[in-house]
Amino acid sequence: MSKEPTKPSESLVQDLLAERRELKVAVERLKLQLADAEAAGGGGGPDPRVKELQDEVERLRYQLASARAEATNLREERDHLRGGIEKALAQLSADEEE
């Protein structure tokens, strides 16, 4: 019974961690594309795709930071709820012993 109340929050944290990993991969992929675009456009002026890729990298970095913050908040909420449940169970056990 002690595992039941924590499953939804743990699942959400796992989903956010998976999303975070995906975003990290996307950021790295875009960095590589950006480097390729910069190398290919060496002499003919800046490649218009470079700005687009830089914007996408920044957007993904922001999204990753948001996902990290949300995961941290959810972990704290889960721990707080778990502590409350454990306290309530301890009180119930103490009441039953009396």
Side-chain angles (χ1 to χ4, degrees):
M1 180 180 148
S2 63
K3 295 273 183 193
E4 289 299 321
T6 61
K7 283 186 181 178
S9 63
E10 287 178 0
S11 174
L12 186 54
V13 168
Q14 291 302 318
D15 291 345
L16 287 170
L17 290 173
E19 181 180 349
R20 178 180 166 209
R21 285 189 297 273
E22 290 171 10
L23 290 171
K24 280 185 168 186
V25 169
V27 166
E28 291 303 317
R29 185 180 310 118
L30 287 172
K31 283 181 184 177
L32 292 173
Q33 289 178 358
L34 179 59
D36 288 345
E38 288 174 343
D47 189 334
R49 294 180 299 159
V50 171
K51 176 66 174 145
E52 186 179 312
L53 290 172
Q54 287 173 333
D55 291 344
E56 181 69 7
V57 167
E58 284 306 309
R59 185 187 69 76
L60 288 170
R61 283 184 177 153
Y62 177 78
Q63 192 175 357
L64 178 59
S66 296
R68 284 179 176 157
E70 189 174 350
T72 299
N73 289 338
L74 288 170
R75 279 190 201 104
E76 290 172 358
E77 182 181 349
R78 176 200 64 201
D79 293 344
H80 178 73
L81 291 171
R82 184 176 284 157
I85 291 168
E86 288 171 355
K87 184 178 177 181
L89 289 173
Q91 287 177 345
L92 285 173
S93 294
D95 289 346
E96 286 177 1
E97 290 176 4
E98 291 176 5

